[in-house]
Amino acid sequence: RRGRLHLALTRTFMNNTLDLVSYGPVIPVIVLQRVEDAVPLAEALVAGGVRVLEVTMRTPVALQCIEAIAKAVPDAIVGAGTIRSAADAQAAKNAGSVFGVSPGYTSEVGRACQAAGLPLLPGVATASEVMAAQADGLQFLKFFPAMQAGGIPMLKALAGPFPDVVFCPTGGISLQTAPDFLALPNVKVCGGSWLTPADAVEAGDWGRITQLAKGATALRG
Ligand code: 3PG
C-alpha cells in the first residue's frame, strides 16, 4: 500500500508539476470582494502557516487580488480557483497564479492550462471524470463537491480502481471533519472555505483568520 502510494505521489508531482500537498494539509478556498483585503488576508493565512492559497475567480476583483498577493506576499503560493475555460486559465496565469483549480474537468481546460504553463488541480466527482483527467496525465485531483458527491465512502470506493490517484476533497469540509478525510490513504490535502469566513474578511479580523489557519496547519502533526 505504501509503495503504491509513493509511486502515486511521484507520478503526481511529474504530471501536475506542483507539489501542492507538501506545504500543509488544507488549501483555503478564498472569495474576495475587495482588492484591499487580498494582501492582509494572505499575510494572515501565511502567519498561521498556510501558504497555498486558492483565490476563486468568482468575483470581479479576483484577478487583481491574485496579482496583489503574487507581488506583495512572497511566502504565499497563490493559485486561481473556479477556472472554467481556456480564457480563465490564461487570465489566471497572467495575473501571477502559480496553479489553477477547476470545479470540473474538460480536456479543453486541461490543454489551455498546459499551454499557459499553469499546473491544474481539476475537479472530479465520478469515475469517468477521474479517467478523463488521468488520460490527460493528471493524477492529483480535486474531489468536488466532496460531501455532496459521496464523501469518505466515495473516496474509499475510488481507491480501488484508482490506486494511483491522490485527491484533494473540497466542499462541505470543516475543521472537525477534515481529519477523517486526511486519514484516507488517497487524500493528502483538503480544501475548504472555513479558514476565511466572509464575516471575518468583511470586518478585517485578520487575527481570527490567523487562528483558523493555525488550527488547519495543526491538522498535520
Ligand atoms: C466552494 O465551492 O466554495 C468550495 O468547494 C468550498 O466549499 P466549502 O465552502 O464547503 O468549504
Side-chain angles (χ1 to χ4, degrees):
R1 178 114 226 146
R2 248 173 223 285
R4 272 203 304 192
L5 186 62
H6 177 72
L7 186 63
L9 288 171
T10 306
R11 287 207 196 118
T12 292
F13 300 158
M14 274 165 43
N15 292 325
N16 292 46
T17 68
L18 195 67
D19 177 13
L20 291 182
V21 304
S22 73
Y23 295 98
V26 181
I27 299 177
V29 175
I30 300 167
V31 179
L32 282 160
Q33 309 292 348
R34 298 182 302 220
V35 178
E36 56 268 34
D37 291 336
V39 168
L41 173 66
E43 285 173 340
L45 289 165
V46 168
V50 173
R51 295 183 56 196
V52 177
L53 315 180
E54 176 192 338
V55 177
T56 56
M57 288 175 52
R58 296 184 199 176
T59 63
V61 296
L63 290 168
Q64 284 171 269
C65 290
I66 290 166
E67 203 173 341
I69 294 168
K71 282 193 181 135
V73 191
D75 287 338
I77 298 158
V78 65
T82 329
I83 291 186
R84 296 174 301 170
S85 67
D88 287 346
Q90 192 59 57
K93 176 71 180 184
N94 293 348
S97 307
V98 296
F99 67 95
V101 183
S102 56
Y105 183 67
T106 64
S107 284
E108 188 203 355
V109 164
R111 276 194 302 271
C113 286
Q114 202 169 21
L118 188 70
L120 177 66
L121 173 58
V124 297
T126 67
S128 294
E129 291 160 14
V130 173
M131 286 168 66
Q134 267 197 314
D136 290 350
L138 298 163
Q139 307 267 43
F140 174 43
L141 309 176
K142 165 173 155 169
F143 176 53
F144 175 81
M147 287 305 290
Q148 298 84 341
I152 286 170
M154 180 65 166
L155 284 161
K156 283 185 177 165
L158 290 171
F162 303 111
D164 45 359
V165 171
V166 172
F167 293 97
C168 171
T170 304
I173 299 177
S174 66
L175 179 67
Q176 287 69 35
T177 60
D180 293 337
F181 282 92
L182 292 166
L184 298 173
N186 58 347
V187 171
K188 291 287 131 196
V189 61
C190 56
S193 64
W194 82 85
L195 279 65
T196 56
D199 62 335
V201 178
E202 170 78 18
D205 189 351
W206 311 127
R208 182 172 160 213
I209 286 172
T210 295
Q211 285 311 312
L212 289 164
K214 283 184 178 166
T217 301
L219 289 171
R220 189 179 289 165

